[in-house]
Amino acid sequence: MGRSRIEVDLPLQLDRADSASLPSQIVGELRKAIGRGVLIAGDTMPSSRALAKSLRLSRGSVVAAYEQLAAEGYLEATRGGGTRVSTQLEDLHPTLAQAKPEKRPQQKVGGSPSLSLLPGIPFESSLQEAPWRAAWRSGAKLLDELDLPEVLAEHLRHLRSVVVSPQNIMVTSGARDGLATVLHTFRYLKGRPAKVGFESPGNRHLRTVVRLLGHEVVAVPIDDEGVMVRALEGLDLDLLVVTPSHQYPAGASMSASRRFAVLEWARTRRVVVVEDDYDSLLRHVSAPLPALASLDDPADPHVILLGTFSTLLTPRMSAGWLSAPKPLFQKMAKVRSGLGNPVSSITAQALAAYVSSGELARHTRRMRRLYKARSKTLRESLERVPGVRILAQASGLNAALTTSSYPEGALVSRCEEAGLRVRGLHDYWGEASWHVGLMVGVGALKEEEFQIAVDRLVQACSPRPK
């Protein structure tokens, strides 16, 4: 079978002043291209006429070169009269050291692929349905029929109780891009790095963004109600990143009194609060909690709201949004204008069509039911395992569990040996932690695979027989 039907553009170096004939030079250049892996077995070659035209020489020179290479076993004819790199190249030239692109090895255990319980990966199979395809057909029309910020403003008003003007909504490539825009804006305005408070434990990806951009991460401890305000009192911060609706990864929801206390602290200290609203709509023990931004004082606002479609739909799309009070937003928009828009208009139009049709809300309700059922299965299965404790699990795709039976490294290794991909909890703490355990996701697998994965997880977490 042919490797590729796409013709390779060949920048061959020929020297008309060279004593070697042009066909010989073409043969030599093509041999080198095959040896370096620029051309590999099955690649379609340019037609002799096309290559001759690009090299500005007679077609006969290319035909002669192709014929010689075919005789040597480097090229072969295809149906329809074309030419390709021989599919028997390794057999005919076993000593040829071709540089081939390496394929990512598929992880297997006992002859079967390993199963992913990695956190943050949603169930994507339902996106193969007609509404999803129709939304992307709408985006592919290349017509600006819908304005995504306008659609998102309605979405936020109906589902998050946040009233925001479309002019104060920015389309991003996700929460990390949104936070990066906030940080770029801070440095542009202040001329120095920001001190950014993070829940500990907290989102390791967002912490990484802060560090990579040269800002300072400050760990803030949490309790069962979220970030601890008394711990904030002694800190000198510029920004505070929080997940009030579903603390990541511990799972706690910030109480109403704690929310107002955080907002009062931010107003008093003139700190901007960045609310990561990553999966609030997937809360499955009660109705979604109001966003912290909805409680902000409109006369003196301090909250920037980050949203992402990665947990609701798919991370493959890389799309999200942020909303901010007008004075802050205008400054961020100036910075974004200089950096450029990271999301294509096709993606924005497809998302606008999907959200405005009501399909996102319907999809979210379906996923909420699915994740609730899977979370129950996970909890009931692990409750039977001695030493295992699941932290608060009121929402979303993920669950954090701790165990007294194994050190974290050993537990991760046991999971890998059982054919599971998981993540250790220690990555989520901004400082040393006594917690040992796993962060697991319930969304990545099909139903029959998920049950197998849960059974394997129970086996991996179970204490060794004495």
Side-chain angles (χ1 to χ4, degrees), residues 20-31:
S21 67
L22 289 174
S24 296
Q25 291 185 53
I26 295 171
V27 168
E29 288 290 301
L30 290 177
R31 282 201 202 107

Side-chain angles (χ1 to χ4, degrees), residues 300-316:
D300 188 21
H302 283 76
V303 179
I304 295 173
L305 186 62
L306 300 182
T308 179
F309 290 104
S310 294
T311 48
L312 283 178
L313 296 172
T314 170
R316 304 170 194 261

Side-chain angles (χ1 to χ4, degrees), residues 151-422:
V151 172
L152 288 174
E154 287 297 291
H155 170 76
L156 289 172
R157 184 171 64 85
H158 290 149
L159 299 180
R160 301 300 291 123
S161 300
V162 175
V163 179
V164 59
S165 167
Q167 283 72 40
N168 293 342
I169 294 177
M170 180 183 298
V171 179
T172 70
S173 63
R176 278 179 278 188
D177 176 54
L179 180 58
T181 302
V182 174
L183 295 170
H184 286 314
T185 304
F186 182 91
R187 191 184 289 273
Y188 172 75
L189 295 173
K190 301 292 186 179
R192 64 173 176 83
K195 294 180 180 179
V196 186
F198 264 92
E199 299 164 329
S200 182
N203 189 313
R204 66 193 191 98
H205 299 299
L206 295 186
R207 280 206 314 265
T208 299
V209 170
V210 174
R211 292 194 175 107
L212 287 176
L213 293 179
H215 299 269
E216 180 182 349
V217 172
V218 180
V220 183
I222 66 167
D223 59 18
D224 291 341
E225 295 185 59
V227 65
M228 298 169 64
V229 178
R230 67 174 181 272
L232 292 171
E233 295 296 343
L235 300 177
D236 179 22
L237 300 178
D238 299 300
L239 305 171
L240 174 65
V241 181
V242 293
T243 52
S245 293
H246 182 206
Q247 201 285 326
Y248 189 80
S253 296
M254 189 180 290
S255 66
S257 60
R258 184 69 59 86
R259 291 171 187 241
F260 283 110
V262 168
L263 290 174
E264 180 60 28
W265 170 84
R267 276 193 290 271
T268 302
R269 303 293 290 270
R270 312 310 296 173
V271 173
V272 174
V273 177
V274 180
E275 179 179 5
D276 179 14
D277 200 41
Y278 72 102
D279 78 344
S280 60
L281 293 178
L282 296 175
R283 182 176 174 83
H284 45 63
V285 298
S286 63
L289 297 170
L292 192 65
S294 69
L295 306 176
D296 202 11
D297 183 356
D300 188 21
H302 283 76
V303 179
I304 295 173
L305 186 62
L306 300 182
T308 179
F309 290 104
S310 294
T311 48
L312 283 178
L313 296 172
T314 170
R316 304 170 194 261
M317 189 167 50
S318 296
W321 47 267
L322 69 77
S323 68
K326 186 176 181 179
L328 285 172
F329 186 87
Q330 289 176 336
K331 295 166 184 173
M332 287 191 288
K334 183 176 181 179
V335 171
R336 170 60 79 193
S337 177
L339 295 174
N341 189 348
V343 178
S344 74
S345 60
I346 292 176
T347 299
Q349 282 296 300
L351 276 171
Y354 194 72
V355 176
S356 64
S357 70
E359 191 55 37
L360 176 63
R362 288 188 284 274
H363 172 81
T364 301
R365 288 193 291 270
R366 290 194 298 270
M367 294 303 99
R368 194 183 297 150
R369 291 192 295 270
L370 175 67
Y371 300 149
K372 179 179 181 179
R374 290 190 173 187
S375 296
K376 180 181 178 183
T377 297
L378 180 68
R379 183 178 63 255
E380 291 178 347
S381 297
L382 289 173
E383 281 176 347
R384 302 192 298 268
V385 181
V388 171
R389 181 172 72 94
I390 294 183
L391 304 183
Q393 191 184 12
S395 177
L397 289 163
N398 312 315
L401 64 91
T402 62
T403 177
S404 59
S405 299
Y406 302 100
E408 184 176 297
L411 182 59
V412 171
S413 296
R414 283 178 61 85
C415 288
E416 291 174 350
E417 291 168 2
L420 295 176
R421 298 197 296 279
V422 296

Side-chain angles (χ1 to χ4, degrees), residues 20-100:
S21 67
L22 289 174
S24 296
Q25 291 185 53
I26 295 171
V27 168
E29 288 290 301
L30 290 177
R31 282 201 202 107
K32 286 193 292 185
I34 293 171
R36 296 200 312 268
V38 175
L39 291 170
I40 64 176
D43 275 350
T44 299
M45 297 294 295
S47 69
S48 57
R49 191 182 306 276
L51 185 56
K53 184 177 180 180
S54 69
L55 296 175
R56 297 183 180 180
L57 44 77
S58 70
R59 183 188 175 200
S61 296
V62 177
V63 170
Y66 277 12
E67 288 177 348
Q68 180 175 338
L69 288 167
E72 294 174 0
Y74 288 99
L75 301 181
E76 64 186 16
T78 64
R79 292 181 181 178
T83 303
R84 67 186 175 195
V85 180
S86 175
T87 54
Q88 307 300 315
L89 190 63
E90 292 185 359
D91 295 332
L92 296 171
H93 294 275
T95 60
L96 183 65
Q98 265 207 313
K100 297 181 181 179

